[in-house]
């Protein structure tokens, strides 16, 4: 579903963030990218939706070389969740969640019905929370809205950058569990960046362990932990 072929990213200042990277993620697979800060995880992920262009190499999503796909069209098929969720402060939770379906041309009623369904799925009763504004939610609830929004237009691919990083450990564990349950139902192809090895092995079907600009190990959680 996602394939990197000898991808290198060198920034204009000469930093090689990603060095000759090749890997594949299967359809419906959740791969966690783990490693210390600055080793190229975010750069890897942002090349998938063309927010960053590789210096060399090729990236395929669903069989298509993304260099030939219009970035706007590409991003409609890729949900994106980041740590600072970036909800629109002057829009209600329901309208925030309906943003992408509305953008891709769904009728308003259908977009809103879908948004309500997704809020329900991430554990926020749309009747209670749909009409609230982001500032009226806790951090954990905002993060759930971020996940609901990313899933609303039903993209096959989901990119997540430290999605549970901004909340306290207890809430974090609850969000992780909820997300695992959700993933069992929706089965997206997921790339998730984290610096937390525990999170990586807990959530990943496979784990990509990064060193400087490279993946040093790409294997199941058991193999990464050394317990077959
Ligand atoms: P990670 O997500 O693992 O923390 P990043 O992909 O953000 O790593 O960064 C990888 C390397 O590329 C780091 O050395 C970082 O400083 C550098 N880098 C990231 N973005 C830029 C940029 N826009 N310009 C120059 N260097 C960058
Ligand atoms: P969560 O597990 O969703 O992060 P928290 O433990 O942070 O929940 O918050 C518990 C409850 O307190 C939530 O149901 C939420 O409605 C409420 N709450 C937390 N922060 C705020 C806030 N800034 N404004 C309004 N309600 C809040």
């Amino acid at each position: 579903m996602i394939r990197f072929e000898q991808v290198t990213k060198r920034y204009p200042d000469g930093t090689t963030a990603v060095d000759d990277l090749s890997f594949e993620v299967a359809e419906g697979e959740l791969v966690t990218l783990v490693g210390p800060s600055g080793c190229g995880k975010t750069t890897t992920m942002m090349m998938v939706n063309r927010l960053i262009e590789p210096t060399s190499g090729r990236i395929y999503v669903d069989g298509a070389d993304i260099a030939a796909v219009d970035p706007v069209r590409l991003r409609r098929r890729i949900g994106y969740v980041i740590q600072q969720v970036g909800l629109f402060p002057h829009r209600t939770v329901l309208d925030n969640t309906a943003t992408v379906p509305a953008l891709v041309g769904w009728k308003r009623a259908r977009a809103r019905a879908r948004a309500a369904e997704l809020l329900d799925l991430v554990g926020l009763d749309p009747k209670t929370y749909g009409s609230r504004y982001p500032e009226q939610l806790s951090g954990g609830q905002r993060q759930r809205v971020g996940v609901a929004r990313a899933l609303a237009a039903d993209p096959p691919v989901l990119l997540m950058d430290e999605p549970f990083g901004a909340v306290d450990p207890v809430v974090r564990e609850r969000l992780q569990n909820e997300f695992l349950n959700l993933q069992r139902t929706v089965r997206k192809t997921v790339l998730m960046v984290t610096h937390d090895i525990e999170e990586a092995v807990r959530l990943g079907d496979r784990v990509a362990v990064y060193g400087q600009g490279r993946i040093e190990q790409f294997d199941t959680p058991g193999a990464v932990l050394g317990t077959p």
Side-chain angles (χ1 to χ4, degrees):
M1 181 51 133
I2 301 173
R3 184 151 52 98
F4 275 56
E5 275 182 15
Q6 300 183 293
V7 174
T8 292
K9 174 62 187 181
R10 212 169 287 108
Y11 285 107
D13 68 358
T15 307
T16 303
V18 168
D19 188 9
D20 196 28
L21 203 61
S22 299
F23 66 90
E24 245 182 275
V25 180
E27 187 172 345
E29 190 179 27
L30 195 173
V31 169
T32 46
L33 314 182
V34 66
S37 179
C39 62
K41 308 180 298 292
T42 299
T43 300
T44 301
M45 217 182 55
M46 287 170 74
M47 287 192 287
V48 176
N49 60 8
R50 294 192 64 184
L51 286 175
I52 294 175
E53 298 288 345
T55 309
S56 63
R58 294 189 181 283
I59 301 168
Y60 298 87
V61 172
D62 218 359
D65 183 343
I66 62 169
V69 180
D70 171 51
V72 175
R73 291 182 78 101
L74 180 71
R75 284 172 209 148
R76 284 176 185 166
R77 306 187 54 247
I78 299 179
Y80 191 33
V81 184
I82 53 175
Q83 190 178 115
Q84 300 306 333
V85 169
L87 299 174
F88 301 112
H90 303 296
R91 286 190 197 168
T92 64
V93 164
L94 191 73
D95 285 336
N96 264 287
T97 310
T99 304
V100 179
L103 275 179
V104 301
W106 293 25
K107 292 248 160 54
R108 183 177 154 85
R110 181 173 169 232
R112 290 173 68 88
R114 174 65 179 162
E117 204 178 287
L118 259 301
L119 287 173
D120 225 3
L121 211 55
V122 297
L124 291 175
D125 179 3
K127 287 195 183 68
T128 306
Y129 295 102
S131 57
R132 291 199 189 178
Y133 289 86
E135 65 173 17
Q136 299 170 300
L137 302 181
S138 71
Q141 291 170 334
R142 275 201 286 267
Q143 216 55 31
R144 284 183 223 164
V145 176
V147 172
R149 183 174 63 175
L151 289 172
D154 208 19
V157 176
L158 200 55
L159 305 178
M160 309 180 86
D161 199 343
E162 300 271 4
F164 312 126
V167 292
D168 70 65
V170 175
V171 174
R172 185 182 173 104
E173 191 173 328
R174 200 160 72 224
L175 289 178
Q176 289 173 344
N177 288 335
E178 286 172 5
F179 183 72
L180 274 182
N181 283 331
L182 182 65
Q183 168 65 359
R184 282 184 196 113
T185 343
V186 297
R187 271 291 152 205
K188 300 298 175 187
T189 304
V190 186
L191 275 186
M192 182 188 293
V193 165
T194 175
H195 62 265
D196 175 4
I197 183 72
E198 272 179 47
E199 177 165 274
V201 298
R202 190 143 183 268
L203 301 186
D205 296 314
R206 285 191 298 161
V207 181
V209 182
Y210 272 68
Q212 210 43 253
R214 293 177 162 273
I215 295 178
E216 293 181 337
Q217 195 182 5
F218 192 16
D219 216 328
T220 58
V224 166
L225 291 173
T227 52

